[in-house]
Amino acid sequence: MGMREKAKERLQEVPLISLFNLRMLGFALIRAWVYLMFLGAATSVVTWNGDPLPPAAFLGSTLCLCALLFSCAFIRKYNVFITGTKVFRIAGPICTCVGTLCLASATLPDAPQVLLCVLGAVTTGIGSGIIDLGYGDLYRAVQPMRTTLEAPLAFLLAAVVYLAVQFLPPVADVLIVAALPAVSGYILFVHFQVWSPKHEFAVLPFKIHLGAFSWKIGACACLIGIADGVVRAVFLSTSDTTVQDFYRFPLVWAGIITLVIIYGCALFSRERGFKPMYRTVMFIMAIFFMLLPVFTGHSEIESIIGLAGYGTFNVLIWILLADITSTYRLSGIMLFGMGWGMVTLGVLLGTQLGQIVCLGAPFSPQLLSLIALLATVAILISYMFVFSESDLESMATSEEEDGGKAVTAGQGHPSETSDGVRRQRFQDRCNDVASQFGLTERETEIMVLFAKGRSAARIQEELFLSRGTVSTHLRHVYQKLDVHSKQELLDVIEGTG
């Protein structure tokens, strides 16, 4: 099958028009808020008088964000209780809105700057962290191919919102930016009812060495975040443009480049799955960093290259975390807490290290080339030794292939939850459902693969069936279980439907 036919077939699974939905919009709005408030140290001018925020606000908010994400990852046995409370869900958007207004007021004359910065940093860090974890859990139930196509579109839309807000007067800036997390939170917690008790898993996740993979993904993201932070800070110092101009239009162009790269990998790669995308993105990032010294003095091209590299990696990490939580039925709070927390930590460390390195400015062309080379080496080390293709391949091991021992890192007995409620293995639960609703052997096999996140086309390839046969069996499964969507099917399997 040719590349064009492959792309056409994959687009039939997820029509492009269906990507423009409330989930993608809500995710794009919270990403736009992050861009506008904390794209980098002292870049935000979302204040009532247009003066920039002190760098300490960025540092404090990011530290609080990391603390919340890591806490949720490590105390996961209490996550169901915490997220099940209405107060916790409301706290996300409210804290983010209030914190935005506090930071916006910190630059006013005679304002208690220190108090407002501390209060704003704590509330925005905690609030935005809750929303990030919520979207991580929301994308857990989304088909991997759809996530792959939605995520770069959301990041691009966030860049467009960032650009549009830059041309508004300061008062309008503050009001709009404060409203972004409110709208995003409404979509997340009211419309989609994320963390509602009915969405709690009733089956054990698949076998995966979660602790090792989380640290590998996190270490890779942190290392690349440090490299990118240093590179951006250094090359920004060599540019003759303002910080806002460095990000304004280049951020949109970088988003377009990210969209093209991710869509190209998802639609035209010969093999399905995350591996070819990961390989391509890491290769492109290395090329981008090596090209930076060539365009020194061409500020817009320099900005686009720098932003496109790390922007694409950000999208890649989000897609990877969503893919793992979807495929292995893991808690999005646990995995996104670790993975996204390490991404954030990497950006913070890179930004701070970049500011230290910039004390040596101005830089000679030789030194700029050396910095770009070191950043490229960091990418190659991440790809070859930290989180490699072999790690992606080993994640294909399911509980059935591992003797049915569905114990993940940090869990206790394979059939006990933290509150002592006995749960079934996923395969056993699927067999019970198949028996209860009278599914045939082939229908059961297809139902299990579909519930694990396989697309109809992937099932077709694995079972050597025609597209029509797979579609017919899936239709029969839906009819017998009396469900109308994949989420309803998962709810029945997980015992919540």
Side-chain angles (χ1 to χ4, degrees):
M1 185 184 298
M3 294 175 58
R4 191 172 181 179
E5 288 73 18
K6 284 182 182 292
K8 186 176 180 181
E9 179 181 322
R10 291 170 185 175
L11 283 175
Q12 288 178 344
E13 301 174 29
V14 184
L16 290 179
I17 191 65
S18 68
L19 301 178
F20 295 88
N21 54 62
L22 276 179
R23 179 180 55 240
M24 188 277 294
L25 175 62
F27 183 48
L29 293 181
I30 193 61
R31 303 270 36 97
W33 179 87
V34 173
Y35 283 163
L36 287 159
M37 292 298 296
F38 301 116
L39 188 59
T43 63
S44 177
V45 290
V46 183
T47 55
W48 296 112
N49 54 8
D51 291 342
L53 285 170
F58 164 78
L59 178 62
S61 182
T62 308
L63 287 174
C64 290
L65 173 60
C66 289
L68 178 90
L69 295 176
F70 290 140
S71 297
C72 289
F74 287 118
I75 60 172
R76 48 186 173 270
K77 64 180 180 179
Y78 301 110
N79 283 341
V80 174
F81 171 74
I82 295 173
T83 58
T85 60
K86 191 174 182 180
V87 173
F88 186 79
R89 297 194 293 271
I90 294 176
I94 288 181
C95 284
T96 312
C97 293
V98 171
T100 301
L101 295 175
C102 287
L103 293 176
S105 305
T107 59
L108 292 175
D110 302 323
Q113 186 182 75
V114 175
L115 177 62
L116 289 174
C117 280
V118 171
L119 182 61
V122 172
T123 51
T124 54
I126 294 175
S128 62
I130 293 174
I131 296 176
D132 281 346
L133 290 175
Y135 276 101
D137 242 19
L138 178 61
Y139 274 98
R140 176 191 67 177
V142 177
Q143 179 187 352
M145 176 60 79
R146 180 173 291 277
T147 301
T148 300
L149 299 179
E150 272 189 19
L153 186 61
F155 275 76
L156 175 58
L157 181 57
V160 173
V161 173
Y162 175 88
L163 174 63
V165 171
Q166 294 290 316
F167 293 100
L168 298 176
V171 174
D173 279 356
V174 174
L175 294 177
I176 290 176
V177 174
L180 292 178
V183 177
S184 181
Y186 178 85
I187 292 173
L188 180 65
F189 297 119
V190 178
H191 180 78
F192 287 105
Q193 296 185 334
V194 170
W195 294 333
S196 170
K198 68 179 182 179
H199 293 304
E200 181 185 348
F201 285 135
V203 295
L204 283 172
F206 300 127
K207 172 69 179 178
I208 178 177
H209 299 290
L210 184 58
F213 281 122
S214 297
W215 280 110
K216 279 179 171 286
I217 295 169
C220 176
C222 189
L223 183 59
I224 292 180
I226 292 173
D228 175 78
V230 172
V231 166
R232 267 196 289 162
V234 168
F235 283 88
L236 177 60
S237 69
T238 66
S239 174
D240 56 358
T241 62
T242 64
V243 174
Q244 284 71 37
D245 288 337
F246 184 85
Y247 288 106
R248 188 176 293 166
F249 287 102
L251 189 62
V252 175
W253 284 112
I256 294 173
I257 292 174
T258 294
L259 188 78
V260 171
I261 293 172
I262 299 296
Y263 277 33
C265 293
L267 298 177
F268 297 103
S269 61
R270 292 184 177 180
E271 54 181 312
R272 284 177 173 269
F274 192 82
K275 188 170 69 171
M277 188 184 305
Y278 182 67
R279 182 193 309 130
T280 302
V281 169
M282 298 297 277
F283 177 70
I284 289 176
M285 282 191 68
I287 292 178
F288 280 173
F289 281 171
M290 288 300 294
L291 284 176
L292 278 172
V294 178
F295 294 100
T296 301
H298 299 77
S299 56
E300 187 163 341
I301 298 177
E302 199 174 49
S303 305
I304 293 171
I305 292 176
L307 293 172
Y310 189 65
T312 304
F313 184 74
N314 259 344
V315 174
L316 184 80
I317 289 295
W318 184 272
I319 294 172
L320 173 61
L321 295 174
D323 187 282
I324 295 174
T325 56
S326 174
T327 302
Y328 296 95
R329 315 306 298 149
L330 300 172
S331 165
I333 300 175
M334 180 168 51
L335 199 60
F336 275 88
M338 176 62 70
W340 205 244
M342 292 296 280
V343 171
T344 306
L345 180 62
V347 173
L348 176 63
L349 294 176
T351 301
Q352 301 305 311
L353 182 59
Q355 291 179 346
I356 295 174
V357 173
C358 285
L359 296 176
F363 300 99
S364 65
Q366 292 81 3
L367 187 55
L368 288 176
S369 298
L370 177 61
I371 292 172
L373 176 62
L374 291 176
T376 305
V377 170
I379 293 174
L380 295 177
I381 290 175
S382 300
Y383 175 66
M384 297 174 65
F385 304 109
V386 181
F387 188 68
S388 63
E389 287 184 56
S390 60
D391 294 313
L392 291 171
E393 291 171 354
S394 59
M395 282 194 295
T397 302
S398 66
E399 57 173 295
E400 295 85 6
E401 295 168 342
D402 200 56
K405 299 177 181 179
V407 183
T408 58
Q411 285 185 305
H413 191 275
S415 59
E416 297 289 332
T417 62
S418 58
D419 58 0
V421 179
R422 190 171 184 83
R423 298 190 300 180
Q424 294 175 288
R425 291 194 302 113
F426 185 84
Q427 186 65 48
D428 293 339
R429 177 60 186 161
C430 287
N431 291 336
D432 288 350
V433 169
S435 176
Q436 178 183 351
F437 291 93
L439 301 185
T440 66
E441 183 177 347
R442 179 64 83 181
E443 287 169 351
T444 303
E445 187 177 21
I446 290 176
M447 179 188 70
V448 172
L449 290 174
F450 189 62
K452 287 182 178 180
R454 307 293 202 278
S455 65
R458 180 72 177 271
I459 296 173
Q460 174 188 337
E461 293 176 4
E462 288 189 23
L463 301 182
F464 303 102
L465 299 174
S466 68
R467 185 191 309 169
T469 301
V470 173
S471 299
T472 299
H473 284 308
L474 280 175
R475 185 171 65 252
H476 290 166
V477 170
Y478 272 45
Q479 290 172 346
K480 290 181 179 182
L481 272 63
D482 191 24
V483 298
H484 305 88
S485 67
K486 182 177 182 179
Q487 184 57 57
E488 290 183 8
L489 172 65
L490 292 174
D491 288 343
V492 171
I493 294 174
E494 293 169 358
T496 58

